[in-house]
Amino acid sequence: MKTTIGALKSAIKKALKAVETSSCAIQAQNDKLTIVAASAQGSIMIDVPVEGPVTACSAVINAKQVGAILGGVADAVDCKIKADNGIVLSFGGSRIKLTQPFEDTVSDMFGVSLQGERIRAFETKGKDFSLLMDGPIQYAAKSDVRYYLVGVQAICDGGLLRLTGTNGTKLCTAKSGIAAHAMMKPCIFPFSVAEAVRAVFDADEDFVVEQIGEQSNMRILLRSERVQWITSSIAGVYPDWRRVLPRSERVGLVVLGRDAIVSALWRVMAASDEAFAQIVFAPNGVQILSVDGQQREEFQVDLAIRKTVRIGVTGKLLAEAIEAVETPTFELALDGNDETAKFVITPVEATISDWLGICMPARI
């Protein structure tokens, strides 16, 4: 039997990324060739296209062998797979013998994990889900003692999927045209899973997300024609993020260039060697100032604002919040007219119309 080295490498990369591990296994049975990986993060099985008769065999691919397979051989090169007291992979001028036996506990884990009530939460394409996830994942905490923040919440909102991410200081919530089942339960995708979805599912690949079991012990199954990936939802109560949403009337609403504002923030922080900055909303435009006022970046534009408002901010957090916007221009506004007002960030002419970012001010 044979495949291409590109198809084999792609499946290995996807599997390792999905469950955050450095080794995996290859298994041939029932006319299929499958890459299997498992860790505390979850389990995944990815089918690899294969030609010729499939001989039942299996073996572990250790981290060193993974590195050899992922080397610089062109993707189109054929990879021959032979059962020989393990598995022998032959491609280009390389011959890799896999001798470590694979004890298939993953299939049993799948069997146990798939028991319980199942809800088909939503179905989507890789590119649509990734686009919806882009903002919330960048606002979510990467590590936090509040473990429920290290993930992205998914809910059914009026029949559509809404994703929300926050680290307690900034928050992004987004809803698009992905239909969600009315019985879908609120759940929290672990950060590693939310981040890996783009790598695992191709842009035009259809996949289904199912919820299994009770909310306190929920498993999430992501599956397509070639992928079976199961992980646990983060158990915990997500913050009531709706209570921090801005009021409908916003102060100092202005359209700005995303990259220009982000660059200005970084320049001011670098020149002043400070983590904080001041954002000034005035009738004649927006200014970014260092804490001592010595560094200044100005963006002149007429604002419908009665008085000048000066707000402190952690520069890195605001820069990251603005960078997450998918469009070259965005709307920046304040939720109030004093130094405690939140920054409100929305894209201009975005693919996802219901997208909102919030960044909290800082006392300086």
Side-chain angles (χ1 to χ4, degrees), residues 69-82:
I69 294 169
L70 299 182
V73 179
D75 287 353
V77 171
D78 285 341
C79 177
K80 295 180 180 179
I81 303 158
K82 181 181 178 181

Side-chain angles (χ1 to χ4, degrees), residues 57-73:
C57 56
S58 64
V60 171
I61 309 174
N62 63 39
K64 185 176 180 180
Q65 292 165 332
V66 165
I69 294 169
L70 299 182
V73 179

Side-chain angles (χ1 to χ4, degrees), residues 14 16-21 39-42 133 137 140-142 149-152 188-200 229 231-232 234:
K14 293 173 187 291
L16 300 186
K17 177 68 174 178
V19 299
E20 293 191 317
T21 187
S39 70
Q41 302 296 325
M133 180 66 77
I137 189 65
K142 294 179 176 61
L149 296 186
V150 189
V152 174
I188 306 173
F189 284 90
F191 186 93
S192 59
V193 174
E195 188 180 42
V197 168
R198 182 190 297 275
V200 173
W229 178 16
T231 185
S232 295
I234 295 178

Side-chain angles (χ1 to χ4, degrees), residues 30-274:
N30 302 326
D31 295 325
K32 286 186 176 182
L33 182 67
T34 307
I35 295 297
V36 181
S39 70
Q41 302 296 325
S43 305
I44 190 167
M45 299 186 292
I46 302 178
D47 293 339
V48 181
V50 65
E51 297 178 9
V54 176
T55 303
C57 56
S58 64
V60 171
I61 309 174
N62 63 39
K64 185 176 180 180
Q65 292 165 332
V66 165
I69 294 169
L70 299 182
V73 179
D75 287 353
V77 171
D78 285 341
C79 177
K80 295 180 180 179
I81 303 158
K82 181 181 178 181
D84 183 10
N85 293 323
I87 293 178
V88 176
L89 304 177
S90 302
F91 53 93
S94 300
R95 184 176 182 274
I96 299 176
K97 187 171 179 61
L98 311 175
T99 58
Q100 183 178 344
F102 169 53
E103 297 180 5
D104 185 10
T105 58
V106 176
S107 297
D108 293 336
M109 290 169 59
F110 262 89
V112 172
S113 297
L114 295 178
Q115 295 176 2
E117 179 190 7
R118 295 173 66 165
I119 296 173
R120 187 184 175 108
F122 59 90
E123 180 177 354
T124 184
K125 287 186 179 293
K127 61 182 178 183
D128 296 333
F129 188 73
S130 296
L131 183 62
L132 185 63
M133 180 66 77
D134 274 347
I137 189 65
Q138 293 185 66
Y139 278 64
K142 294 179 176 61
S143 62
D144 201 297
V145 293
R146 299 164 294 181
Y147 60 91
Y148 45 83
L149 296 186
V150 189
V152 174
Q153 186 201 50
I155 63 171
C156 175
D157 182 0
L160 298 175
L161 179 66
R162 178 179 290 278
L163 301 179
T164 304
T166 181
N167 65 358
T169 303
K170 56 183 182 176
L171 179 146
C172 178
T173 184
K175 181 174 77 170
S176 73
I178 300 174
H181 195 288
M183 297 299 292
M184 176 184 172
K185 303 170 184 176
C187 64
I188 306 173
F189 284 90
F191 186 93
S192 59
V193 174
E195 188 180 42
V197 168
R198 182 190 297 275
V200 173
F201 295 104
D202 295 337
D204 292 326
E205 185 173 6
D206 294 312
F207 69 96
V208 174
V209 175
E210 295 186 18
Q211 297 176 322
I212 305 168
E214 299 298 323
Q215 199 157 356
S216 60
N217 187 31
M218 183 186 295
R219 283 88 65 205
I220 301 173
L221 174 66
L222 303 93
R223 59 177 177 84
S224 67
E225 288 187 357
R226 62 183 183 85
V227 176
Q228 297 282 324
W229 178 16
I230 195 159
T231 185
S232 295
S233 170
I234 295 178
V237 178
Y238 207 71
D240 181 14
W241 52 269
R242 293 186 186 274
R243 65 185 176 83
V244 302
L245 291 180
R247 291 161 285 188
S248 57
E249 294 185 5
R250 298 172 191 175
V251 176
L253 181 64
V254 60
V255 176
L256 297 167
R258 177 195 58 202
D259 296 342
I261 291 293
V262 170
S263 297
L265 275 165
W266 287 117
R267 282 197 300 272
V268 166
M269 287 187 292
S272 64
D273 197 25
E274 287 280 352

